[in-house]
Amino acid sequence: MTDKSKVFVYPNDVSAFGFDWGRLALTVAPEVNGATRFSGGVVDLPSGKGHTRHNHPGAEEIIFVISGHGEQMVEDEKGNPVVAKVGPGCTIYVPESRFHSTLNTGDGPMQLFVVYSPAGPELALRDLPDFRLIPAERQ
């Protein structure tokens, strides 16, 4: 349920999208607090896990590495994969509709903050076969 007064949101305050590869807690989104131009949230990836190559048609994405280490792939404009090792403090820009993937290559968890513009492409994740809704821990 949208609550436009929710301007301070922790990942445990919202239901999260759970998958075999990790979880996404949308802390900014039209359905959370009425954001209209973008959405975003915290992604947690266990060691050795990651999301496979995919894209968000019509949307750009920003990925910021909060903690952990991994391997990030973003295809160039010709569709060739460009891979880099990433760690805390790295910002990854995924141009509109570009295919990308993330893999946690570290020994511990990897945490990311992601932003989608415009909002909405992340909702398609609900259609994945391993999707499950994880209830908010705090209300």
Side-chain angles (χ1 to χ4, degrees):
M1 178 171 199
T2 301
D3 179 354
K4 292 187 178 189
S5 70
K6 267 189 163 173
V7 294
F8 303 103
V9 184
Y10 290 88
N12 291 341
D13 293 341
V14 295
S15 297
F17 295 4
F19 307 95
D20 293 344
W21 52 262
R23 63 183 265 153
L24 165 62
L26 290 173
T27 53
V28 178
E31 64 275 15
V32 174
N33 42 24
T36 58
R37 294 190 174 101
F38 56 84
S39 60
V42 177
V43 174
D44 292 298
L45 300 172
S47 181
K49 299 287 185 176
H51 58 78
T52 58
R53 179 185 176 274
H54 68 283
N55 73 340
H56 307 286
E60 297 175 292
E61 182 176 359
I62 298 167
I63 303 169
F64 180 79
V65 180
I66 297 170
S67 62
H69 292 85
E71 191 172 273
Q72 181 67 48
M73 184 280 291
V74 178
E75 289 185 352
D76 67 16
E77 59 279 345
K78 294 180 182 175
N80 301 309
V82 177
V83 179
K85 293 186 183 309
V86 297
C90 183
T91 300
I92 300 109
Y93 168 59
V94 181
E96 182 179 338
S97 305
R98 201 73 61 84
F99 282 91
H100 57 286
S101 62
T102 307
L103 176 65
N104 178 350
T105 58
D107 293 335
M110 183 178 196
Q111 190 170 63
L112 314 168
F113 189 82
V114 297
V115 176
Y116 306 95
S117 178
E122 68 286 354
L123 297 179
L125 294 170
R126 294 177 184 219
D127 297 330
L128 295 176
D130 63 338
F131 169 80
R132 63 192 178 284
L133 193 63
I134 302 169
E137 294 177 23
R138 3 188 261 198
Q139 299 290 331

